[in-house]
Amino acid sequence: MDFTFSEDQLLFQDSVRDFLVNEITPERIRSSWDTETGRSQELWAQLAELGLTGLTVPEAFGGLGMSELDFVLLAQECGYVALPEPLVNSVLVAVPLLKTIGGDLAEQWLPQVATGEARVVAGIEQNLLAEDAHVADLVLWYTEGSWYALTQEQMTLQHNESVDPSRRLFSVSVNSDVDAVANGEQAATLLEAALNRGALGAAAQALGLAQRMIDISVQYTSERQQFGQAIGTFQAVKHHMANVAVRLEYAKAPVHRAAYSIAHGEAVAAHAVSQAKLMACEAANLAAKNCLQVHGAMGYTWEVDLHIFMKKAWAMANTWGDAAYHKERVAEHIFADGAALGADGTLG
């Protein structure tokens, strides 16, 4: 199995990184907290111009027709800047759901998603709350064994606070006169696929968040002086940062492997995703802990950028399945009767 990304995929990542780092600054994120929606239609239009909103939309509907493997590096870059817009949810979860449901629903909404005219997000009751439902033109919502495709007029939203002020979370109540778009076995299949894709998106963003926290902390410890020298020269500080860097590097391959599994419809996709989310979120949580420590607790203050990325990392760890849920899925796979264990079987 070849995990090497192509030159085109890496060039696309570089282009998106340059755009996001220039546009999504910590100052812009802070200013978004004071707006009514916390989201920017102008920024969404820019993402659409880059082709990002239509990346997984089939070419027949005006999209690029690319795969989860093509997007996973871009999702990492979304994490690196703590992008508030629901791009990862739309590209990795909502669009594939629309494609699978198909019919008039897909024909109506996919072209609008590709051009950026419409925002579509997906949510499941396992997450308890739906993120960005307030700005979505269509919300794909799973509850009580059924999927619903909801416009703003077909649901009632109630806002809930998040530890991360960039996140806008809502409880969703479906109007009684709305029919489900999928029930029973079909709904259950769509739910598993959505959860896997959502967990993959969270894992990829966690990689980017961990890298950003490392970069912020390296810069800070290079400038902060104590006893006449930069604190980054102290061995204890170096060890903290090296431990995060090692954990991050070991988490990248499982995330990329999970993207490959989903893109190619492998039977092992579920446990590959769980392994990826566990390792990526553990790396991000360790980054939050160690980077906070080398900042001398200043990372908690509103003035220091670190807390923007720490809080998003904590949120990513507990959405689309927490650590206990994903450990249980991995355990079910490796302890099953006749499970193929060893380097080829466990990770292959």
Side-chain angles (χ1 to χ4, degrees):
M1 189 177 295
D2 183 6
F3 284 128
T4 306
F5 288 99
S6 69
E7 186 176 346
D8 288 342
Q9 288 169 325
L10 295 174
L11 284 173
F12 199 5
Q13 179 190 20
D14 289 342
S15 299
V16 171
R17 178 193 301 136
D18 291 342
F19 170 80
L20 292 177
V21 169
N22 288 327
E23 294 292 333
I24 317 301
T25 61
E27 292 74 23
R28 183 168 184 170
I29 290 175
R30 284 192 176 88
S31 65
S32 73
W33 297 343
D34 298 324
T35 64
E36 182 178 354
T37 67
R39 303 293 178 261
S40 167
Q41 185 60 44
E42 178 188 359
L43 176 58
W44 192 257
Q46 290 177 293
L47 295 172
E49 286 180 11
L50 291 173
L52 297 178
T53 61
L55 195 138
T56 53
V57 174
E59 293 180 87
F61 293 108
L64 298 179
M66 301 174 79
S67 74
E68 294 78 2
L69 197 56
D70 296 311
F71 185 69
V72 68
L73 293 177
L74 310 186
Q76 289 177 216
E77 300 305 330
C78 293
Y80 189 80
V81 298
L83 178 68
E85 304 295 326
L87 181 67
V88 176
N89 182 307
S90 178
V91 173
L92 271 186
V93 188
V95 167
L97 273 173
L98 275 176
K99 287 193 295 184
T100 305
I101 294 170
D104 294 339
L105 193 67
E107 292 183 7
Q108 177 185 353
W109 288 100
L110 285 177
Q112 297 183 60
V113 172
T115 60
E117 296 174 64
R119 282 187 261 199
V120 181
V121 299
I124 58 177
E125 62 182 358
Q126 285 80 355
N127 285 342
L128 302 179
L129 301 169
E131 191 169 353
D132 292 307
H134 64 312
V135 293
D137 299 285
L138 186 73
V139 175
L140 300 172
W141 177 242
Y142 176 86
T143 182
E144 298 180 349
S146 298
W147 280 96
Y148 296 88
L150 305 168
T151 61
Q152 293 291 329
E153 295 75 25
Q154 294 174 313
M155 60 184 172
T156 301
L157 302 177
Q158 183 172 355
H159 179 251
N160 286 258
E161 295 292 340
S162 170
V163 66
D164 176 6
S166 291
R167 301 180 82 210
R168 299 297 170 97
L169 302 174
F170 298 86
S171 60
V172 178
S173 298
V174 182
N175 293 353
S176 58
D177 58 346
V178 178
D179 295 327
V181 295
N183 293 299
E185 187 174 338
Q186 182 192 12
T189 302
L190 291 173
L191 173 62
E192 182 175 5
L195 198 151
N196 285 340
R197 293 172 182 280
L200 172 63
Q205 290 179 87
L207 294 182
L209 289 162
Q211 185 63 60
R212 185 61 176 271
M213 287 186 277
I214 291 173
D215 292 348
I216 290 173
S217 299
V218 168
Q219 181 176 357
Y220 175 77
T221 57
S222 299
E223 297 171 351
R224 175 80 164 84
Q225 297 279 322
Q226 189 64 274
F227 306 116
Q229 56 185 314
I231 63 172
T233 62
F234 299 150
Q235 194 172 43
V237 174
K238 289 180 180 178
H239 284 178
H240 272 313
M241 302 315 303
N243 289 341
V244 178
V246 170
R247 190 74 66 90
L248 174 60
E249 284 305 308
Y250 275 98
K252 289 178 181 177
V255 173
H256 300 161
R257 189 259 190 274
Y260 179 96
S261 290
I262 289 180
H264 290 80
E266 291 188 332
V268 297
H271 98 266
V273 166
S274 288
Q275 181 194 10
K277 187 165 191 295
L278 284 167
M279 296 184 70
C281 290
E282 284 176 1
N285 281 341
L286 182 65
K289 176 185 175 184
N290 287 7
C291 293
L292 177 63
Q293 192 159 0
V294 302
H295 271 77
M298 288 183 63
Y300 270 123
T301 65
W302 292 104
E303 289 77 13
V304 176
D305 294 341
L306 181 66
H307 78 97
I308 295 173
F309 305 94
M310 287 197 313
K311 290 171 179 173
K312 194 171 185 68
W314 295 337
M316 289 297 102
N318 291 290
T319 189
W320 300 104
D322 60 12
Y325 173 82
H326 287 289
K327 285 180 179 177
E328 186 175 342
R329 288 213 306 182
V330 172
E332 287 176 356
H333 176 77
I334 63 177
F335 293 129
D337 291 339
L341 301 180
D344 291 339
T346 305
L347 303 177

